[in-house]
């Protein structure tokens, strides 16, 4: 039996460029308060959120992704034709098929890149990053575009006091490519399906289609249960990712957790015992929870403002519906 020829991959990969897109409309808490019995002070104290961005009709999942991806490709210093695969993490592309990744790949001008969507909620960016790293090591692509994008305003129940203020829209993208040294550490990821009811879509699409419910499906969650899980369990996962990368908290430059809630972020910083020298992403204040887009958007903002710099070592962790999670250490582009 003939032997299969090995793949021509490279042992290491890193993030080479990052880009983001935030919709033009900025929505303050006052707008949210038109539909729920709450206050600006309560929203800020419970979540840290002051504003969020909501997309208009033209700012589709594909359109926002193309904008963010163009910036990431330019930042990486490559051309779209060099992209060998496009991975899109989203839960708000409302066409079951085809994957929105194929439309994005075409609009960017890639040379028939492999393209597919993944559904991993707020951990989707970490999942995509891990897949990209594997593709480069395996040799099936030299450069991989990883996109996290959401229009969560489409799945927000504005009358739900527990979630109406949380969600925003946007797209973040990174280009992952070959490296002469490790730029993306081992991934600690997993799922806890026994807790899937804590964050979910209210009803299946079929219930709405068949008239069993009158309200369009929305995202709902059990806030306290999610908070406890994120604070206690995800801090452990973050520590495992640091250990897997062979680093201590003192050796970290930047911490970029999923931008779900500032109270969760503060609790994780405390549990991990991160020193004050570590820059912590707090993009949630003005962007809200953008699910799969939150980590690359926060990464892009930290680099753009100079709060983080190229070459910094960053711990990233995403967690959410499923319940799913993914954490790894990366070198910033």
């Amino acid at each position: 039996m003939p032997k299969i020829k090995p793949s021509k991959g490279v042992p290491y990969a890193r993030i080479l460029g990052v880009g983001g897109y935030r919709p033009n409309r900025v929505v303050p808490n006052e707008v949210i308060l038109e539909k729920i019995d709450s206050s600006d002070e309560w929203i800020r104290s419970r979540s840290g959120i002051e504003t969020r961005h909501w997309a208009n009709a033209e700012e589709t999942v594909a359109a926002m992704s193309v904008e963010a991806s163009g910036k990431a490709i330019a930042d990486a210093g490559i051309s779209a034709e060099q992209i060998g695969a496009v991975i899109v993490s989203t839960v708000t592309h409302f066409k079951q098929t085809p994957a929105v990744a194929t439309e994005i790949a075409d609009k960017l001008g890639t040379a028939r890149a492999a393209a597919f969507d993944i559904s991993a909620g707020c951990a989707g960016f970490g999942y995509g990053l891990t897949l990209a790293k594997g593709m480069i090591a395996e040799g099936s692509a030299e450069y991989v575009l990883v996109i996290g994008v959401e229009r969560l305003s489409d799945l927000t129940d504005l009358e739900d006091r527990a979630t109406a203020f949380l969600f925003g829209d946007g797209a973040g993208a990174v280009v992952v490519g070959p490296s002469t040294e490790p730029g993306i550490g081992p991934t600690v990821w997993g799922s806890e399906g026994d807790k899937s009811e804590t964050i979910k879509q209210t009803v299946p699409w079929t219930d709405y289609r068949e008239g069993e419910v009158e309200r369009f499906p929305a995202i709902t969650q059990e806030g306290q249960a999610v908070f406890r899980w994120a604070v206690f369990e995800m801090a452990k996962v973050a520590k495992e990712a640091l250990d897997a990368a062979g680093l201590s908290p003192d050796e970290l430059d930047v911490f970029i957790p999923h931008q779900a809630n500032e109270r969760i972020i503060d609790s994780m910083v405390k549990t991990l015992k991160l020193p004050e020298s570590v820059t912590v992403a707090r993009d949630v204040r003005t962007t809200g929870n953008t699910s799969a887009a939150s980590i690359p958007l926060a990464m892009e903002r930290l680099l753009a403002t100079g709060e983080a710099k190229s070459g910094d070592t960053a711990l990233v962790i995403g967690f959410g519906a499923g319940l799913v999670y993914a954490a790894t250490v990366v070198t910033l582009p």
Side-chain angles (χ1 to χ4, degrees):
M1 181 180 293
K3 292 183 178 180
I4 297 174
K5 190 175 181 180
S7 300
K8 295 181 179 179
V10 296
Y12 305 125
R14 66 167 291 171
I15 299 173
L16 301 175
V18 60
Y21 180 83
R22 293 172 173 81
N24 293 318
R25 184 187 177 192
V26 177
V27 180
N29 288 338
E30 285 73 20
V31 171
I32 306 298
L33 295 173
E34 294 173 3
K35 294 289 186 70
I36 61 172
D37 180 18
S38 187
S39 68
D40 178 63
E41 181 184 1
W42 187 90
I43 292 173
R44 292 183 188 226
S45 65
R46 292 302 180 106
S47 67
I49 298 173
E50 303 166 10
T51 60
R52 73 285 292 144
H53 295 253
W54 283 355
N56 61 30
E58 287 73 37
E59 292 168 320
T60 64
V61 165
M64 291 191 294
S65 296
V66 168
E67 290 291 331
S69 299
K71 295 175 184 177
I73 291 169
D75 192 41
I78 65 169
S79 66
E81 290 86 353
Q82 292 175 275
I83 298 291
V86 177
I87 304 171
V88 178
S89 177
T90 185
V91 297
T92 48
H93 174 57
F94 293 149
K95 288 183 180 178
Q96 193 69 36
T97 192
V100 72
T102 58
E103 178 183 349
I104 294 166
D106 177 63
K107 287 183 175 179
L108 287 171
T110 66
R112 300 173 66 182
F116 58 94
D117 300 350
I118 59 175
S119 177
C122 306
F125 176 74
Y127 275 48
L129 200 62
T130 303
L131 293 173
K133 175 185 173 183
M135 290 178 182
I136 292 164
E138 190 271 338
S140 57
E142 184 177 12
Y143 298 101
V144 181
L145 181 64
V146 180
I147 304 166
V149 57
E150 302 291 3
R151 275 181 55 115
L152 287 171
S153 58
D154 292 334
L155 281 181
T156 299
D157 180 352
L158 294 178
E159 296 179 359
D160 180 3
R161 188 173 184 271
T163 61
F165 59 90
L166 288 175
F167 302 119
D169 304 337
V174 299
V175 172
V176 181
S179 175
T180 57
E181 58 185 29
I184 302 174
T187 300
V188 178
W189 58 353
S191 65
E192 298 184 34
D194 60 314
K195 300 180 180 67
S196 61
E197 291 295 303
T198 56
I199 307 175
K200 64 180 182 180
Q201 184 173 305
T202 50
V203 295
W205 299 112
T206 49
D207 285 4
Y208 182 73
R209 181 190 65 190
E210 294 164 7
E212 294 182 21
V213 294
E214 294 182 357
R215 301 194 68 166
F216 192 75
I219 295 174
T220 185
Q221 69 176 31
E222 298 173 13
Q224 287 302 314
V226 173
F227 182 87
R228 288 193 298 270
W229 176 76
V231 168
F232 297 109
E233 298 303 320
M234 292 305 96
K236 296 176 186 176
V237 170
K239 181 61 167 60
E240 288 178 29
L242 280 174
D243 292 342
L247 298 174
S248 68
D250 292 340
E251 295 175 289
L252 204 59
D253 298 310
V254 184
F255 180 43
I256 311 177
H258 165 48
Q259 302 293 291
N261 180 307
E262 194 166 33
R263 291 173 63 209
I264 292 175
I265 295 170
D266 289 339
S267 296
M268 292 182 73
V269 168
K270 184 177 180 180
T271 302
L272 288 168
K273 298 179 180 179
L274 296 182
E276 291 186 5
S277 60
V278 175
T279 298
V280 180
R282 300 183 185 278
D283 194 42
V284 66
R285 293 174 179 171
T286 55
T287 308
N289 179 345
T290 55
S291 188
S294 77
I295 291 175
L297 277 174
M299 182 184 295
E300 186 242 11
R301 174 161 281 174
L302 288 176
L303 289 166
T305 60
E307 296 173 80
K309 62 183 184 299
S310 175
D312 278 353
T313 300
L315 169 63
V316 300
I317 178 170
F319 45 85
L323 293 170
V324 295
Y325 55 88
T328 188
V329 174
V330 302
T331 300
L332 294 183

